[in-house]
Amino acid sequence: MHERIVDGIFLVGGDRLSGPGDCMCYALDLGEAVLVDCGCGPGWPAIRANMVEAGLDPAGPGILVLTHCHVDHVGAAPRVARETGCRVFAHALDAGAIEKGDPGLTAAAWYGLKLEAMEISDVIQEHERVLSFPAGDLHILHAPGHTPGSCVAWLDTPAGRVLFGQDIHGPFDPSFGSDIGAFEQSMREVLALEADILCEGHFGVYRGRDEVAGFILDHVSRATGR
């Protein structure tokens, strides 16, 4: 089953919805179907079924945005790309790890999984990429810290500004290139967006600017020890 966040935005993947280990995956109906992250891999059929149930194109997403290189977010990407022909977006600083299926940088070794190598069709080099659709603009913003190429995505809707901040909570580990200083700077920029709704990668959905800011600031404090 899927869960509606606001009109046109749905939670379609995660532990409860698609399978153990999957991050929370979000589908957007922007006049073209967009999927933000795609889980470990085995849960892809359930994610796709949930998208169809939510009323999105049964052919699958036209765009797949990978917020960072960890296998619980990107493991299904090779299959999604093969089956749907979608464009796959990832930041340059994480794209190489995904393309090589690097077991350390993608945390695949942590999960006891193997990540299939693939080609990223759309490598993001710039600090911010804007994808324009009939129903609005999706902004992809480089927000390093958790990994070097971590990104958040956001868009404005009638219900307010929705932020896809997948792993704002971390964790942070040298084995996949975490940088606490970069994370703190990234979160200053993310806080300045003043999002009304946060769709996080494992902790769920937070509503209201105070709740969103509180979640981000709490995890900055945890990461920095301040």
Side-chain angles (χ1 to χ4, degrees):
M1 297 178 65
H2 70 279
E3 296 179 13
R4 175 185 168 278
I5 309 300
V6 299
D7 285 347
I9 300 177
F10 308 93
L11 174 63
V12 294
D15 275 329
R16 294 183 298 105
L17 296 177
S18 55
D22 280 354
C23 73
M24 301 181 85
C25 307
Y26 299 92
L28 291 60
D29 185 358
L30 297 176
E32 181 175 7
V34 176
L35 182 62
V36 178
D37 289 337
C38 56
C40 294
W44 163 239
I47 292 169
R48 187 170 193 170
N50 291 339
M51 292 180 68
V52 172
E53 182 190 65
L56 280 80
D57 189 344
I63 301 287
L64 171 61
V65 176
L66 302 176
T67 60
H68 63 287
C69 65
H70 286 172
V71 69
D72 54 325
H73 295 254
V74 308
R79 182 176 177 184
V80 177
R82 279 196 304 271
E83 291 186 3
T84 69
C86 66
R87 296 170 65 187
V88 181
F89 287 79
H91 193 273
L93 294 179
D94 273 14
I98 300 169
E99 291 188 321
K100 295 173 185 175
D102 186 291
L105 294 177
T106 66
W110 275 26
Y111 283 83
L113 297 172
K114 184 176 180 180
L115 178 62
E116 179 186 347
M118 67 173 296
E119 181 179 355
I120 301 297
S121 62
D122 292 80
V123 176
I124 300 170
Q125 302 282 353
E126 61 268 45
H127 185 61
E128 184 171 8
R129 175 77 68 91
V130 181
L131 306 180
S132 294
F133 299 94
D137 293 339
L138 180 67
H139 298 250
I140 305 172
L141 180 68
H142 185 212
H146 178 48
T147 68
S150 287
C151 293
V152 300
W154 63 271
L155 76 159
D156 289 323
T157 76
R161 179 164 291 177
V162 181
L163 170 67
F164 303 92
Q166 287 297 73
D167 277 11
I168 281 175
H169 69 279
F172 304 94
D173 192 276
S175 68
F176 43 76
S178 296
D179 184 326
I180 298 299
F183 170 72
E184 187 173 15
Q185 179 59 42
S186 294
M187 291 306 101
R188 290 194 193 102
E189 189 168 3
V190 170
L191 283 165
L193 294 173
E194 297 187 329
D196 300 289
I197 299 172
L198 167 64
C199 298
E200 219 267 346
H202 294 274
F203 280 68
V205 178
Y206 294 79
R207 298 178 185 272
R209 290 188 181 184
D210 289 345
E211 289 292 323
V212 172
F215 179 89
I216 295 170
L217 289 169
D218 177 55
H219 286 279
V220 169
S221 177
R222 291 169 186 254
T224 62
R226 297 196 298 273

